């Protein structure tokens, strides 16, 4: 792809796009572009980042219509010959200012989906008497391992159509977390958790369009996790186990 | 948030779990989908077989009149189709125009059963 000499960046400023011209550089990330705008052109621009190396997930934004980690997105991967770059805050979330989205609803839904580990053999918060033996190759552990690396960046949540249609919908990340705990043999909150993720606000509204899986920067598969919850709840409901 | 934690406490205390709208309808939709998968195949095979050499009302009635197996098949087919369709429309209505709630659910269930009743009435007409 031919590289433009300068980038024409449209940045959402709450009520309209503002246009900035940013010099193109080699190995430039979208976060570099945003940082350039704020430091060199317009210090009033609000955005958020922390680690810059794809560990924290806080720099996620909508880049040319897709939710991405801006620190891990090279400009040349998303910009054509015209050098046009459009930046918006993450979708499906309230906006604090400019490019900074408020992730409160996102994390509240993790709690609603009972995303906290509940030790089975000890009172809540207590340290169990002994180590639990969990064979790493067991089916349940492999299912849990598949989703455990989520860092809560909200890219899947911003990419999910069902969240856009139903503001109560828990979203991919919260249910991915719930599924890892449903498969955690040390956890004692299975029944309550399955109740929490069932129904119209939970896994049963998922259309399996898999934008979450497609866009997860960690290459996780929340869509399969949600399918796992549906499967478990289907048999539990049909056989009267809940 | 306080709502969720109260719910959790209630559940731990062994009180009845809160109703989770949609789960049972979802299960009904999946089970009816399985039935429809079989029923549609039987239906299509019957059509293709029946139209060989022309199709007459007499031929259809010869097959269905007094035949409990066909009656049962069409009753199950109509019931599955009615419920499956209504639940699908319920979901579409919820997501596109925000039509939600217990009243809407009951209305959709009623619509589904009404549609099924039309089909069952036709099946009985072919049987009797």
């Amino acid at each position: 792809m031919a590289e433009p000499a300068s980038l024409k960046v449209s940045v959402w400023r709450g009520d309209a796009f503002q246009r900035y011209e940013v010099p193109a550089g080699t190995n430039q990330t979208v976060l570099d572009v945003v940082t350039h705008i704020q430091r060199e052109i317009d210090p009033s621009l609000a955005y958020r980042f922390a680690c810059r190396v794809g560990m924290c997930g806080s720099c996620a934004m909508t880049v040319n219509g897709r939710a991405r980690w801006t620190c891990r997105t090279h400009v040349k991967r998303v910009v054509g010959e015209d050098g046009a770059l459009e930046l918006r805050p993450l979708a499906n979330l309230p906006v604090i200012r400019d490019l900074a989205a408020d992730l409160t609803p996102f994390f509240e839904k993790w709690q609603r989906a009972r995303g906290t580990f509940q030790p089975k053999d000890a009172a809540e918060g207590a340290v169990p008497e002994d180590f639990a033996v969990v064979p790493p190759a067991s089916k349940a552990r492999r299912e849990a391992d598949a989703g455990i690396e989520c860092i809560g960046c909200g890219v899947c949540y911003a990419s999910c159509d069902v969240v856009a249609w139903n503001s109560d919908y828990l979203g991919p990340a919260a249910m991915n977390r719930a599924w890892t705990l449903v498969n955690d043999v040390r956890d004692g909150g299975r029944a309550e958790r399955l109740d929490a993720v069932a129904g119209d606000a939970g896994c049963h509204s998922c259309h399996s369009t898999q934008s979450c899986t497609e866009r997860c920067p960690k290459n996780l598969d929340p869509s399969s996790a949600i399918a796992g919850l549906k499967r478990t709840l289907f048999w539990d409901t049909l056989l009267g186990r809940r | 948030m306080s709502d969720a934690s109260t719910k959790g406490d209630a559940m731990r205390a062994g009180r009845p779990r809160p109703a989770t709208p949609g789960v049972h309808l979802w299960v009904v939709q999946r089970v009816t989908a399985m039935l429809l998968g079989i029923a549609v195949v039987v239906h299509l095979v019957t059509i293709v077989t029946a139209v060989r050499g022309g199709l007459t009302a007499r031929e259809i009635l010869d097959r269905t009149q007094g035949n409990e197996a066909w009656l049962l098949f069409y009753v199950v087919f109509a019931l599955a189709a009615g419920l499956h369709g209504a639940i699908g429309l319920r979901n579409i209505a919820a997501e596109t125009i925000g039509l939600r709630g217990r009243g809407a659910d009951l209305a959709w269930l009623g619509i589904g059963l009404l549609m099924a009743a039309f089909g069952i009435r036709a099946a009985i007409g072919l049987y009797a």
Side-chain angles (χ1 to χ4, degrees):
Chain A
M1 193 178 292
E3 295 197 11
S6 74
L7 304 165
K8 288 148 197 73
V9 191
S10 302
V11 179
W12 185 250
R13 300 300 307 265
D15 49 1
F17 282 107
Q18 195 163 334
R19 308 254 301 168
Y20 301 96
E21 185 112 356
V22 176
T26 49
N27 296 326
Q28 192 178 27
T29 66
V30 175
L31 185 62
D32 293 335
V33 172
V34 182
T35 302
H36 178 93
I37 294 171
Q38 200 224 36
R39 292 198 182 160
E40 311 293 335
I41 308 173
D42 188 347
S44 72
L45 177 67
Y47 69 111
R48 182 166 50 213
F49 73 96
C51 76
R52 295 172 296 148
V53 291
M55 287 169 67
C56 72
S58 56
C59 67
M61 296 171 202
T62 309
V63 181
N64 286 356
R66 274 180 76 126
R68 293 174 172 280
W69 289 351
T70 52
C71 73
R72 297 272 86 188
T73 302
H74 275 108
V75 168
K76 64 170 183 274
R77 263 175 58 202
V78 289
V79 164
E81 284 176 39
D82 57 354
L85 191 61
E86 186 195 278
L87 301 174
R88 301 181 68 109
L90 282 180
N92 298 338
L93 289 160
V95 176
I96 298 171
R97 193 157 76 88
D98 299 339
L99 297 172
D102 178 4
L103 275 87
T104 308
F106 173 71
F107 287 118
E108 276 180 357
K109 286 176 179 179
W110 280 56
Q111 287 175 283
R112 255 176 51 202
R114 305 190 69 80
T116 40
F117 175 59
Q118 257 176 266
K120 192 186 269 174
D121 50 0
E124 213 160 326
V127 178
E129 296 265 305
D130 205 352
F131 290 110
V133 179
V134 184
S138 63
K139 187 173 181 291
R141 192 59 231 173
R142 286 206 309 264
E143 288 276 5
D145 282 342
I148 209 76
E149 297 288 345
C150 174
I151 63 170
C153 66
V155 163
C156 58
Y157 188 82
S159 304
C160 177
D161 287 330
V162 184
V163 175
W165 295 329
N166 179 2
S167 57
D168 283 338
Y169 182 61
L170 293 169
M175 285 195 277
N176 177 72
R177 172 64 182 159
W179 181 237
T180 63
L181 290 171
V182 165
N183 282 293
D184 191 330
V185 292
R186 304 164 303 160
D187 183 88
R190 177 191 165 96
E192 292 91 332
R193 190 169 296 108
L194 285 173
D195 273 345
V197 298
D200 291 336
C203 62
H204 294 106
S205 281
C206 172
H207 289 257
S208 309
T209 46
Q210 304 187 39
S211 298
C212 52
T213 298
E214 162 79 16
R215 298 194 184 168
C216 174
K218 303 280 289 183
N219 290 322
L220 304 184
D221 188 2
S223 195
S224 291
I226 296 169
L229 292 171
K230 279 183 185 173
R231 206 162 48 237
T232 306
L233 278 158
F234 177 77
W235 290 112
D236 283 7
T237 305
L238 204 64
L239 305 176
R241 288 194 295 226
R242 31 190 316 272
Chain B
M1 255 6 287
S2 60
D3 180 39
S5 56
T6 347
K7 266 188 202 165
D9 295 342
M11 281 184 276
R12 268 192 292 281
R15 270 173 273 168
R17 287 179 189 156
T20 42
V23 182
H24 290 96
L25 290 176
W26 187 88
V27 170
V28 169
Q29 200 188 24
R30 282 310 184 296
V31 171
T32 53
M34 294 172 197
L35 290 171
L36 285 172
I38 300 164
V40 168
V41 170
V42 172
H43 183 58
L44 290 175
V45 168
T46 310
I47 291 172
V48 170
T49 320
V51 294
R52 283 161 173 258
L55 183 69
T56 61
R58 188 68 260 161
E59 196 190 332
I60 296 171
L61 289 172
D62 283 347
R63 186 170 61 243
T64 58
Q65 256 174 356
N67 190 328
E68 281 84 14
W70 278 117
L71 177 67
L72 182 72
F73 171 75
Y74 283 119
V75 166
V76 170
F77 194 170
L79 202 58
L83 290 173
H84 188 85
I87 296 167
L89 289 172
R90 165 193 182 266
N91 298 341
I92 295 169
E95 282 170 0
T96 52
I97 58 171
L99 184 69
R100 293 189 175 93
R102 199 171 164 71
D105 284 356
L106 290 173
W108 283 119
L109 201 60
I111 290 168
L113 290 173
L114 187 68
M115 291 297 132
F118 289 144
I120 291 168
R121 198 182 67 158
I124 291 171
L126 287 173
Y127 171 77

